[in-house]
Amino acid sequence: LAPLRSGDNCADVSCKDSGESFDYTAFPALTVLITAHNEQGHIAEKLENTLACCEYYRERVKREVEVIVASDGSSDETDSIVTRDFSSRGVKLVRLSTPGGKEQAQKAALNSVNGEVVVFTDAKVKMAEPALFEFGKYFCDPKVGAVSSIDKVEGAATETSGEGFYV
């Protein structure tokens, strides 16, 4: 992960893990916004993964991480899984009554956001446990306004395949 600053070329940006120390009080409160449409087969695993990442972040920086699922009019069990199994763990559901597309679901959910920084992700994206920490540390620099990642597609044997995607 690396911050993108004005004039940066993606190929020129690299993340250095030099053991640098951070002012943990400067880390932002985060909101993880998960967009989903008919993801009953993936949403529980995604939320477990996200909550583990949130705990990793909270333990290190003592800041809250909010989790919102933006359901794009799901007609399967996605919404009931979120409310039944995860609302007691602080996960919020924002639901469009009819499908309007990913951007509309995200826009609707943004009205419920409390975090200083929003991390957008999808139901089928798995994050490494330190991912939110890695994102958050860049926002300690007031000149950073956005951070992106490279998504890698995993094959059946969890080996990285394909070129990956910028999000």
Side-chain angles (χ1 to χ4, degrees):
L1 300 175
L4 296 178
R5 294 183 174 90
S6 177
D8 279 346
N9 178 325
C10 290
D12 298 333
V13 179
S14 63
C15 180
K16 298 178 191 127
D17 184 7
S18 60
E20 55 205 315
S21 64
F22 298 101
D23 174 6
Y24 290 112
T25 62
F27 274 69
L30 301 178
T31 296
V32 178
L33 200 160
I34 302 165
T35 310
H37 175 74
N38 291 342
E39 295 289 354
Q40 70 182 15
H42 304 279
I43 196 66
E45 181 180 0
K46 172 61 178 180
L47 287 170
E48 290 294 348
N49 170 248
T50 300
L51 292 170
C53 295
C54 292
E55 186 60 27
Y56 184 98
Y57 190 81
R58 272 190 217 100
E59 285 176 357
R60 281 151 187 80
V61 302
K62 311 300 186 234
R63 296 299 306 266
E64 280 307 307
V65 183
E66 173 183 53
V67 179
I68 299 175
V69 174
S71 175
D72 182 26
S74 293
S75 59
D76 64 358
E77 294 298 310
T78 299
D79 300 349
S80 62
I81 292 168
V82 172
T83 55
R84 181 188 65 231
D85 300 339
F86 294 94
S87 65
S88 64
R89 296 169 68 188
V91 176
K92 299 176 189 173
L93 175 68
V94 174
R95 183 182 193 286
L96 295 182
S97 57
T98 58
K102 179 177 182 175
E103 291 80 13
Q104 289 301 315
Q106 290 173 334
K107 183 177 178 182
L110 283 173
N111 293 322
S112 301
V113 165
N114 292 311
E116 298 163 304
V117 171
V118 179
V119 177
F120 292 93
T121 185
D122 294 320
K124 293 179 184 170
V125 174
K126 184 177 179 183
M127 295 185 290
E129 213 168 77
L132 296 176
F133 177 82
E134 293 297 320
F135 275 117
K137 74 181 180 182
Y138 292 109
F139 290 99
C140 296
D141 180 345
K143 293 179 251 161
V144 174
V147 175
S148 187
S149 66
I150 299 174
D151 291 351
K152 298 291 185 183
V153 179
E154 290 185 346
T158 67
E159 292 181 20
T160 303
S161 63
E163 293 183 22
F165 303 95
Y166 285 97
V167 294

